[in-house]
Amino acid sequence: MPDRASQRLQGTDGIRGPFMPQSEEGFRDLTPQEVFLRWGIITDSFMEVYLNAVLKLLMERSLLAEGDGVILAWDGRDREGLAISACIRAISKAGAKPILLGELDGAGRPIFGKCMPTPAAPLYMLHTRAKAAVMITASHNPAGQNGLKLFLAPWGLKPFPPDDDETSARILAADPQEVSSATQKESAENHYNQAEPMFINYHLDPYNSWVREDTDLSTLCLVVDTANGALSGLAGRVFERLGVGEVEEVASADVPINERSGVADLEGHAFIPAEQVLTKGERFSSYPALLRVMKWGRKLSGEIKAGRRTVSLASFDGDGDRFFRADYDPYNDGLVVLSGDETAVIQARFLAEQGLLTPEDCLYVNTVESDLGAAQTAKALGYQVRLVGVGDKWILREALSAHLQKLGISGVGIEEGLPRGMEICKELLGKKLSFEGELPILGLAVGSEETGHNITQGRILRHSDGRYLPTFFGNGLKSAINTYVATAHLPVSGGKETLQFLRSPFTKGYKRNEYIFFSKKERFHRGSDAFSGLKKLWSDEWGKDGIQVEEVSFAEDEDMLYLALKAEGKRVGALFARNSGTEPKTGIYLRGTKEVAPRMEGAETSALSYLYRRLKDWDHPSVIAQLNMLGALNQADDRSLSEEDIRQILSSILDRDNHTTPEELLLINQIKECIAEAGSAGWETTAKGELMLRVARDMKKDRGG
């Protein structure tokens, strides 16, 4: 792997990657920073060095003082407690007081069902007037990965890229021996017993839940999929207290976080037919929550058709800041899946139609990944629509900017192309941001990512003075509650009419994502051959027949290639490509109206072929394993193999130094990169898999192999 020292260490939201102890045999002669730069692996020692350097920088900026509290929460994936103990040490050695939002056993290991999700960390920070909040998580990533997210007082901002650049330099320059030998100055305090009721009460507050006296959730039969993560033992209780008719939480301490569960594997699926869940060997047949909601839905099919019951799945990710909804459809025997786009439009429509805000005075913000139809619907409802780069920090920037404008506060630097979060937070200190009683909705109505990060205004009671602070955090549980409440107030009769609305809460266009896993991401950036070549390829394909191609730059993601497509001055589509900030992949994204949809598939295939040649790391052990799998499938008598055969093929190539397990690669092949698929007859190659294999063979011929 190339040296990453010249790059910032953080991705879209903090750091994340494979997690291993620094005591591993192969790491003993390397510093934690060297391990991360060489392999992208986060060790416990790296976490300690990283967080300690960040907190010391906050102290230099007068955003943190010795003895101040720093909130620390985690999602439970750290089974041995190595990351947790490293972060406790880092906070204490920096001179701050670790405030823990989770219970640990006698050996310092997290207790399942006694953790707090990501939004709880900044909420408790605001509630207690702590100065920073840290979440230990790798979000939707597999259990073998971990990472850190950071929130800053007094508003809960996340660091922006200039902050990341500065902290990265500090982290890389830090002496791990000096950090290791430093004295811990403050003892940790455990506030789980205070934070848990605070978090529950936050969601029971009608201002946050949108529940009214005439809200009836009693006909809802809800399966709660916590992805075996931070919301386990918590989300189900909140739904019950809100009056949901029947609630069944699917979570297990014996199953790794995000495994065969959670929102990530639902991405890209608008409808999941019953056979994919109930037939052994099919794509979702081993997903307990999907099995439960499908069986429950079939059992209550008649009640659903009569409008007397709704059977739904509330699916979250491991750290609880994302939400997808899936409802059983008895007319088509399957699950109607709602992504962040659909749930955001439902929420925006509810706020407008119930008179809770004036749309013309409020923002609807979504990222480039969203369906074009979502923004068009929000605009038709009267909202001011904004488009931002990927990452909820950019939605938070728009929210804060609009909020401060309404309050008449200026000069904090929030509207700069690439703002500095630490400087903004320092400017906000001493500003009057709190309210007594009811808060008006100031600026942001709904912020949305298609991946399920939805943000709407809430309020949190500040413990010290009884005043309320506005909150704008990606919060899967709040988004779920708001979506079900909004649906309960739909002006439809239920049954078929409700399901039709859920299928199409807005006029959907063409939306497709394709990923190249194990890509050489350093080869795709503004000015690179791959970037310029893809721009020319797409421009040549589309710059005719009345279509104008216009490149749009986003300061928040300067290395994203984004081409807007227009016809007669009207936006009809977008083609864009970007490196993931959280996974080892480069993505191709196609968005368009129905009129241009037939041409989109050609743009997808040509781009995949082009980037497979230029970005795929063909020497990566995981890629070699993928090619062996595809070759074996093509040579099999019926061009299919059992999952056990596939697992053995992958295991024969992967070794302990590859840091990708056969199980993770199975998931990537089937659900994420989609080069193979499982069916009742066994695993088979997809058209994309055939393309990948064909490109690999052509490249081998070109090299004379």
Side-chain angles (χ1 to χ4, degrees):
M1 184 173 180
D3 185 8
R4 297 168 53 181
S6 61
Q7 303 176 16
R8 69 177 63 108
L9 304 179
Q10 298 82 359
T12 306
D13 190 0
I15 57 163
R16 69 184 71 168
F19 182 82
M20 301 179 73
Q22 185 71 31
S23 59
E24 281 283 315
E25 184 69 33
F27 304 159
R28 290 179 182 173
D29 296 327
L30 300 172
T31 67
Q33 296 98 314
E34 288 170 337
V35 173
F36 184 79
L37 292 174
R38 186 172 298 186
W39 293 298
I41 294 173
I42 297 171
T43 66
D44 50 336
S45 297
F46 181 77
M47 274 199 173
E48 184 176 351
V49 169
Y50 181 102
L51 185 54
N52 184 263
V54 169
L55 296 179
K56 285 182 176 178
L57 181 59
L58 291 180
M59 288 185 171
E60 288 182 22
R61 296 287 184 271
S62 300
L63 292 172
L64 183 69
E66 289 204 4
D68 283 343
V70 173
I71 307 302
L72 182 65
W74 51 85
D75 65 13
R77 71 180 65 223
D78 182 25
R79 296 290 181 96
E80 298 303 314
L82 292 177
I84 297 170
S85 60
C87 289
I88 292 173
R89 293 195 302 271
I91 296 169
S92 178
K93 290 176 182 180
K97 176 172 285 293
I99 306 297
L100 312 185
L101 303 192
E103 293 195 353
L104 304 170
D105 67 13
R109 296 172 300 203
I111 298 173
F112 183 80
K114 298 292 183 179
C115 305
M116 298 298 290
T118 289
L123 284 174
Y124 198 69
M125 176 185 74
L126 298 184
H127 179 62
T128 60
R129 280 186 153 170
K131 297 303 175 63
V134 179
M135 181 71 188
I136 304 173
T137 181
S139 189
H140 62 279
N141 288 22
Q145 299 190 25
N146 216 335
L148 294 175
K149 295 180 180 181
L150 178 66
F151 299 85
L152 302 175
W155 205 75
L157 275 182
K158 294 179 177 181
F160 292 114
D163 305 300
D164 291 339
D165 290 338
E166 187 172 10
T167 55
S168 293
R170 293 293 187 97
I171 293 157
L172 292 174
D175 182 348
Q177 283 296 113
E178 183 179 314
V179 175
S180 177
S181 60
T183 302
Q184 296 188 48
K185 302 175 183 178
E186 296 282 345
S187 58
E189 292 183 5
N190 198 307
H191 284 212
Y192 176 76
N193 288 333
Q194 294 84 16
E196 188 208 39
M198 178 278 302
F199 187 71
I200 291 174
N201 289 332
Y202 174 85
H203 293 91
L204 298 181
D205 181 348
Y207 184 93
N208 298 325
S209 69
W210 304 351
V211 170
R212 308 181 320 201
E213 287 186 5
D214 61 341
T215 301
D216 183 8
L217 300 175
S218 64
T219 62
L220 176 60
C221 300
L222 188 64
V223 176
V224 179
D225 175 11
T226 64
N228 305 309
L231 281 172
S232 299
L234 187 60
R237 286 190 288 142
V238 172
F239 283 117
E240 287 173 349
R241 291 186 61 178
L242 286 168
V244 173
E246 295 185 61
V247 180
E248 183 173 330
E249 186 176 289
V250 178
S252 173
D254 299 323
V255 180
I257 194 170
N258 296 320
E259 185 170 299
R260 306 294 175 180
S261 61
V263 301
D265 295 350
L266 299 180
E267 289 184 46
H269 297 274
F271 183 76
I272 299 175
E275 58 266 22
Q276 287 193 7
V277 178
L278 300 176
T279 304
K280 185 178 180 180
E282 286 284 353
R283 175 169 292 187
F284 293 108
S285 62
S286 58
Y287 286 65
L290 294 181
L291 282 165
R292 182 67 189 104
V293 73
M294 193 72 75
K295 291 179 179 178
W296 204 356
R298 279 187 164 184
K299 180 181 178 182
L300 297 179
S301 177
E303 295 282 289
I304 297 170
K305 289 180 178 179
R308 292 191 293 269
R309 284 284 189 274
T310 296
V311 176
S312 185
L313 169 72
S315 184
F316 303 98
D317 64 342
D319 69 325
D321 62 358
R322 293 169 60 184
F323 159 69
F324 269 32
R325 173 176 176 170
D327 280 42
Y328 179 73
D329 178 357
Y331 301 97
N332 297 285
D333 194 24
L335 299 176
V336 177
V337 181
L338 284 71
S339 73
D341 284 345
E342 288 81 15
T343 56
V345 168
I346 290 171
Q347 292 168 21
R349 186 180 296 276
F350 174 81
L351 290 172
E353 292 179 349
Q354 298 296 320
L356 298 176
L357 49 71
T358 303
E360 291 77 12
D361 294 335
C362 295
L363 294 179
Y364 180 95
V365 183
N366 59 8
T367 72
V368 293
E369 292 182 330
S370 288
D371 191 305
L372 295 181
Q376 290 170 351
T377 298
K379 191 172 184 180
L381 288 168
Y383 290 103
Q384 301 174 45
V385 175
R386 300 275 174 85
L387 185 70
V388 298
V390 176
D392 65 356
K393 68 175 64 177
W394 304 113
I395 298 174
L396 292 172
R397 179 186 66 174
E398 295 293 330
L400 179 57
S401 177
H403 189 81
L404 294 178
Q405 186 178 6
K406 295 284 187 181
L407 293 177
I409 298 173
S410 59
V412 300
I414 188 65
E415 295 181 357
E416 297 175 7
L418 281 179
R420 294 180 176 273
M422 293 185 191
E423 292 182 6
I424 292 168
C425 290
K426 192 169 183 179
E427 290 291 334
L428 289 176
L429 292 174
K431 304 288 185 184
K432 188 176 179 181
L433 302 175
S434 62
F435 297 81
E436 291 182 2
E438 290 295 318
L439 277 71
I441 293 182
L442 297 176
L444 180 75
V446 179
S448 166
E449 291 192 277
E450 70 152 359
T451 53
H453 287 109
N454 285 5
I455 299 174
T456 53
Q457 182 172 311
R459 68 177 184 181
I460 186 71
L461 185 67
R462 197 160 60 187
H463 179 69
S464 60
D465 58 9
R467 294 176 65 86
Y468 284 100
L469 282 168
T471 61
F472 298 92
F473 304 121
N475 183 341
L477 185 55
K478 184 179 188 301
S479 181
I481 295 166
N482 294 161
T483 301
Y484 287 114
V485 170
T487 308
H489 287 279
L490 283 174
V492 296
S493 61
K496 194 169 190 176
E497 197 173 349
T498 298
L499 287 165
Q500 286 174 339
F501 174 80
L502 294 178
R503 275 181 174 272
S504 300
F506 58 87
T507 302
K508 297 182 182 180
Y510 184 91
K511 184 174 77 170
R512 190 170 179 87
N513 306 339
E514 291 289 1
Y515 302 110
I516 299 169
F517 269 81
F518 311 110
S519 62
K520 294 185 176 182
K521 295 196 289 188
E522 70 278 3
R523 291 184 178 179
F524 191 81
H525 58 84
R526 188 167 298 278
S528 69
D529 290 342
F531 186 102
S532 301
L534 181 59
K535 176 183 174 181
K536 183 178 186 306
L537 175 68
W538 274 343
S539 297
D540 290 346
E541 286 179 348
W542 284 86
K544 52 190 175 183
D545 301 328
I547 301 291
Q548 295 87 47
V549 181
E550 176 185 321
E551 183 177 2
V552 180
S553 297
F554 290 80
E556 58 263 37
D557 194 350
E558 60 185 0
D559 290 323
M560 174 175 63
L561 171 63
Y562 188 95
L563 301 180
L565 307 177
K566 295 183 178 180
E568 299 179 352
K570 181 182 177 182
R571 180 78 168 273
V572 295
L575 310 169
F576 58 103
R578 63 182 296 274
N579 291 322
S580 170
T582 60
E583 295 182 81
K585 68 184 184 184
T586 301
I588 300 167
Y589 306 85
L590 301 97
R591 304 290 185 268
T593 61
K594 290 186 177 180
E595 290 74 20
V596 299
R599 293 181 59 182
M600 285 285 176
E601 288 196 15
E604 166 197 322
T605 304
S606 60
L608 273 174
S609 180
Y610 181 84
L611 293 183
Y612 265 143
R613 281 180 168 272
R614 288 155 181 82
L615 300 185
K616 190 82 171 179
D617 186 355
W618 299 103
D619 295 323
H620 194 289
S622 293
V623 178
I624 294 171
Q626 287 183 310
L627 292 174
N628 277 25
M629 176 195 73
L630 293 173
L633 284 170
N634 278 9
Q635 292 172 13
D637 291 339
D638 57 356
R639 298 176 68 83
S640 68
L641 292 170
S642 69
E643 182 168 313
E644 185 55 39
D645 289 336
I646 296 292
R647 193 185 300 273
Q648 289 181 7
I649 292 168
L650 300 180
S651 299
S652 68
I653 300 297
L654 301 178
D655 57 38
R656 66 182 299 277
D657 293 326
N658 181 52
H659 311 301
T660 303
T661 67
E663 182 62 34
E664 289 172 7
L665 195 50
L666 277 170
L667 189 65
I668 288 171
N669 291 338
Q670 180 189 9
I671 303 292
K672 296 187 175 183
E673 194 164 19
C674 301
I675 60 173
E677 60 187 3
S680 55
W683 280 59
E684 300 173 342
T685 308
T686 64
K688 186 178 177 185
E690 294 284 359
L691 174 64
M692 176 179 157
L693 191 58
R694 186 163 61 250
V695 169
R697 287 171 175 170
D698 289 346
M699 291 181 67
K700 187 175 182 180
K701 288 179 183 177
D702 293 344
R703 294 194 301 265

